[in-house]
């Protein structure tokens, strides 16, 4: 079984570091669960329930089929699937083989998926049968999860493959980068297990957990929480969008959801639901309701804990670095504007310009580390040197700590837009805008929004003042995922720039009035 041990203090650390030694492939837990909890549900969707014994065989048969197709330890395989049991089984199948999953949001356009595949060079990409991307040529092999795939999988022996040993790669944990190509730190089994330890110790996941996955499996948190639930012998309740909030609550209640993660935008929609006639909490079965992304307004947090669940937690971290801090329901009201204190095994620090630690109360660059933190980006040395230094991960956020150890965010050093809890990077949108024949230059900035936290505002310099903005908007919809499309495209004569040609985005942001 995996184990952890406490290490001694080091010169760069003011607290004990934790080290995890994984002596089994993460997919091996499915073998154990199939023996000790064979009839307990591993995955429940709107249409079916799969117990642990059957899910183990489901994942193992897919591993056998992928091995027949030539997938080996260390290979990269794109997972371009919807938010269903097939997706979750594929993740564990690849883990069994020691191959790395390359997450691909099935909602993306063909162009977005092609850019990703061309950069990361997967051996195979698993796609939905009706996905146009599956017909695109490339250096990778496109495999559709159609009837032929399922027929071939059924013929496979679930015991045909051996578990990859050591500490093989598990996942390219994508986060969008500043060049329009997502950055992918390669996470190993050891590192992912260390993240599971945070979920166990800080979030309380265990074999009795029924995690309601209400956001896409492409998202790092949704994927990790779902895999952790199944790993522990618990249940992943998959209920992906789109849905109406009463439908989500009904599904979660029907299947005994104990934990649910929602981005702040969805939490606000949950709060908009009318109170129950019997005066009970909206979801009384939850022992944890948690979110990441933008912080809720204090009055919203109070209303959420009063009407939905009193066990609300704000979780701060990143796909690259994993969890960092947590603000619990019982933390004092005066720290409600913080993102809490370090999670299990994590160390938080504020770095100055010379990378030395800043004192309490002084704003600097947030950095943190724990055994689940990545150590670099795949095929991107420059970005790796910027974000990973001396064992620390620098997420690009600015912040400060108080003397009690609570972390407060003071802004982002980068230009990340967080819309509804989803990270959106302006450079990719700017790249698409500038490919339109009517656009000479473009700059994308965050637009404060009470509902979504931030919306997307695109300032464009047009080649012709009479250009059709609707046509440009349609171009964005054609080449970007729906959630990346700007709320509004705003013509401007010239972009404000510094003496060295850098766009002064603060000057653009000052033109925007907060929405709602």
């Amino acid at each position: 079984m995996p184990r952890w041990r406490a290490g001694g203090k080091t010169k760069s650390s003011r607290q004990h570091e934790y080290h995890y030694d994984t002596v089994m492939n993460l997919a091996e837990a499915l073998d154990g669960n199939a023996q000790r909890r064979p009839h307990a549900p591993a995955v429940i969707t709107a249409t079916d329930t799969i117990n642990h014994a059957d899910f183990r065989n489901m994942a193992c048969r897919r591993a056998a089929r992928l091995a027949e197709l030539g997938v080996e330890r260390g290979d990269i395989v794109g997972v371009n699937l919807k938010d269903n049991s097939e997706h979750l089984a594929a993740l564990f199948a690849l883990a069994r083989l020691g191959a790395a999953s390359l997450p691909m949001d099935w909602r993306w356009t063909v162009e977005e998926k092609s850019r990703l595949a061309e950069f990361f060079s997967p051996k195979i990409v698993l796609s939905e049968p009706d996905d146009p991307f599956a017909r695109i040529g490339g250096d990778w092999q496109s495999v559709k999860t159609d009837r032929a795939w399922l027929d071939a999988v059924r013929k496979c022996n679930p015991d045909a493959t051996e578990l990859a040993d050591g500490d093989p790669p598990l996942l390219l944990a994508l986060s969008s980068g500043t060049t329009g190509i997502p950055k992918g730190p390669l996470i190993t089994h050891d590192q992912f297990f260390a993240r599971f330890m945070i979920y166990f110790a800080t979030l309380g996941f265990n074999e009795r957990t029924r995690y309601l996955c209400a956001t896409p499996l492409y998202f790092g948190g949704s994927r990790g929480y779902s895999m952790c639930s199944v790993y522990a012998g618990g249940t992943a309740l998959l209920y992906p969008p789109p849905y109406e909030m009463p439908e989500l609550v009904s599904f979660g209640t029907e299947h005994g959801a104990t934990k649910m993660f929602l981005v702040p935008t969805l939490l606000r929609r949950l709060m908009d639901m009318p109170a129950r006639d019997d005066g009970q909490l909206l979801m009384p079965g939850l022992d944890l309701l948690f979110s990441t992304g933008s912080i809720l307004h204090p009055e919203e947090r109070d209303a959420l804990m009063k009407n939905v669940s009193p066990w609300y937690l704000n979780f701060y971290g990143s796909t690259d670095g994993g969890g960092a801090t947590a603000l619990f329901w019982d933390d004092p009201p005066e720290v409600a504007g913080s993102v809490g204190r370090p999670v299990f095994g994590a160390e938080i620090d504020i770095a100055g310009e010379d990378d030395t630690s800043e004192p309490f109360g002084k704003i600097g660059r947030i950095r943190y580390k724990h055994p689940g933190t990545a150590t670099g980006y795949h095929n991107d040395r420059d970005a790796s040197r910027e974000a990973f230094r001396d064992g620390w991960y620098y997420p690009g956020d600015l912040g400060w700590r108080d003397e009690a150890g609570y972390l407060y965010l003071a802004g982002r050093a980068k230009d990340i837009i967080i819309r509804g809890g989803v990270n959106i990077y302006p450079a990719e949108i700017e790249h698409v805008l500038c490919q339109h024949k009517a656009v000479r230059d473009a700059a994308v900035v965050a637009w404060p929004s009470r509902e979504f936290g931030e919306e997307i505002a695109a300032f464009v310099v047009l080649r012709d003042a009479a250009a059709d903005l609707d046509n440009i908007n349609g171009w964005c919809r054609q080449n970007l995922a729906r959630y990346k499309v700007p709320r509004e495209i705003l013509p401007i004569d010239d972009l404000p720039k510094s003496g060295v040609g850098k766009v002064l985005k603060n000057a653009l942001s000052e033109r925007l009035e907060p929405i709602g």
Side-chain angles (χ1 to χ4, degrees):
M1 292 296 291
R3 62 183 184 272
W4 66 270
R5 56 186 170 84
K9 295 182 180 180
T10 67
K11 293 181 180 180
S12 62
S13 172
R14 285 189 295 270
Q15 68 178 38
H16 282 83
E17 293 183 340
Y18 292 89
H19 306 275
Y20 302 89
D21 297 318
T22 303
V23 294
M24 75 174 196
N25 182 303
L26 290 186
E28 188 177 352
L30 272 58
D31 297 341
N33 292 337
Q35 294 182 7
R36 67 188 187 84
R37 294 176 59 77
H39 305 300
V43 182
I44 296 177
T45 70
T47 57
D48 58 7
T49 297
I50 305 170
N51 65 35
H52 276 282
D54 290 340
F55 186 75
R56 181 266 176 191
N57 288 339
M58 182 179 179
C60 289
R61 284 195 168 95
R62 280 150 181 79
R65 179 55 183 158
L66 288 167
E68 290 177 349
L69 293 173
V71 176
E72 299 176 342
R73 179 194 176 104
D75 285 339
I76 296 173
V77 175
V79 181
N80 176 33
L81 301 175
K82 293 185 177 180
D83 311 302
N84 50 31
S85 56
E86 184 74 31
H87 187 144
L88 203 52
L91 295 176
F92 278 104
L94 292 169
R96 185 176 183 88
L97 297 175
S101 301
L102 173 65
M104 302 175 74
D105 192 343
W106 67 270
R107 301 162 186 80
W108 283 349
T109 65
V110 169
E111 182 188 32
E112 289 172 303
K113 294 173 185 176
S114 296
R115 289 200 300 264
L116 190 74
E118 288 167 1
F119 183 81
F120 287 106
S121 301
K123 175 176 280 190
I124 284 176
V125 176
L126 297 171
S127 295
E128 297 292 334
D130 57 351
D131 192 326
F133 178 74
R135 300 191 294 272
I136 298 298
D139 294 334
W140 57 90
Q141 178 185 355
S142 287
V143 175
K144 295 187 290 186
T145 55
D146 53 12
R147 185 177 297 248
W149 161 263
L150 294 175
D151 288 342
V153 164
R154 290 191 192 98
K155 296 176 183 177
C156 289
N157 178 357
D159 300 316
T161 58
E162 297 290 335
L163 288 153
D165 59 5
D167 186 23
L170 178 79
L171 169 73
L172 279 161
L174 298 185
S175 61
S176 297
T178 55
T179 62
I181 295 295
K183 292 179 291 187
L186 193 61
I187 307 296
T188 69
H189 284 240
D190 271 3
Q191 290 168 333
F192 216 61
F193 174 72
R195 298 186 182 197
F196 284 180
M197 285 296 296
I198 294 173
Y199 304 160
F200 297 150
T202 299
L203 303 183
F205 278 65
N206 58 48
E207 63 185 12
R208 301 296 172 181
T209 290
R210 290 192 166 214
Y211 167 66
L212 179 51
C213 181
T215 51
L217 282 172
Y218 164 77
F219 294 166
S222 303
R223 177 176 56 245
Y225 307 140
S226 297
M227 290 184 71
C228 182
S229 299
V230 174
Y231 174 93
T235 309
L237 307 174
L238 304 182
Y239 200 78
Y243 49 73
E244 296 297 326
M245 199 54 66
E247 297 170 351
L248 175 66
V249 171
S250 176
F251 178 82
T253 301
E254 177 186 356
H255 295 291
T258 62
K259 299 186 190 301
M260 181 169 68
F261 164 80
L262 289 177
V263 296
T265 298
L266 295 177
L267 285 178
R268 292 185 177 104
R269 293 176 185 172
L270 188 63
M271 287 185 285
D272 287 340
M273 288 184 61
R276 287 176 39 163
D277 293 336
D278 59 6
Q280 296 294 312
L281 292 167
L282 197 58
M283 300 189 73
L286 293 180
D287 59 34
L288 181 68
L289 175 62
F290 62 116
S291 67
T292 60
S294 58
I295 300 172
L296 291 180
H297 302 289
E299 67 274 14
E300 293 175 323
R301 185 169 179 263
D302 290 344
L304 185 72
M305 293 170 63
K306 180 180 178 181
N307 300 322
V308 181
S309 172
W311 319 114
Y312 172 67
L313 178 148
N314 185 40
F315 197 41
Y316 168 70
S318 68
T319 304
D320 301 357
T325 64
L327 181 70
F328 287 82
W329 52 87
D330 55 355
D331 280 314
E334 57 267 26
V335 300
S338 77
V339 290
R341 292 190 281 199
V343 297
F344 177 81
E347 182 177 355
I348 308 294
D349 192 37
I350 304 297
E353 289 301 320
D354 57 356
D355 282 341
T356 57
S357 297
E358 297 285 17
F360 294 124
K362 187 170 182 180
I363 294 176
R365 290 169 296 157
I366 296 171
R367 61 182 179 181
Y368 66 93
K369 59 182 175 180
H370 56 67
T373 302
T375 57
Y377 295 118
H378 184 67
N379 287 345
D380 198 335
R381 291 183 180 178
D382 291 341
S384 295
R385 282 193 293 267
E386 178 67 22
F388 302 94
R389 300 198 295 280
D390 299 324
W392 294 99
Y393 170 62
Y394 291 72
D397 293 331
L398 302 175
W400 58 279
R401 292 177 301 164
D402 66 16
E403 293 187 0
Y406 288 92
L407 177 67
Y408 294 79
L409 302 182
R412 290 184 296 278
K414 302 175 184 177
D415 294 327
I416 303 170
I417 297 171
I418 303 181
R419 182 184 185 273
V422 180
N423 286 0
I424 298 170
Y425 290 75
E428 183 180 12
I429 304 172
E430 291 162 355
H431 171 74
V432 170
L433 283 166
C434 289
Q435 287 184 318
H436 192 281
K437 62 184 180 180
V439 176
R440 184 185 305 276
D441 205 355
V444 171
V445 299
W447 192 347
S449 163
R450 186 172 182 86
E451 180 182 8
F452 288 98
E454 291 175 340
E455 280 279 10
I456 305 167
F459 290 88
V460 296
V461 179
L462 300 173
R463 298 182 184 276
D464 182 353
D468 185 355
L469 296 181
D470 288 338
N471 185 272
I472 299 174
N473 184 272
W475 171 260
C476 290
R477 292 184 179 278
Q478 179 183 344
N479 291 284
L480 292 167
R482 185 175 180 181
Y483 57 81
K484 299 178 186 176
V485 175
R487 177 186 175 96
E488 193 166 343
I489 296 174
L490 307 166
I492 190 171
D493 291 337
D494 289 295
L495 296 177
K497 296 182 179 181
S498 67
V500 295
K502 181 179 179 181
V503 176
L504 302 175
K505 292 195 172 183
N506 285 344
L508 295 174
S509 299
E510 290 171 358
R511 297 170 178 244
L512 302 170
E513 292 291 333
I515 303 169

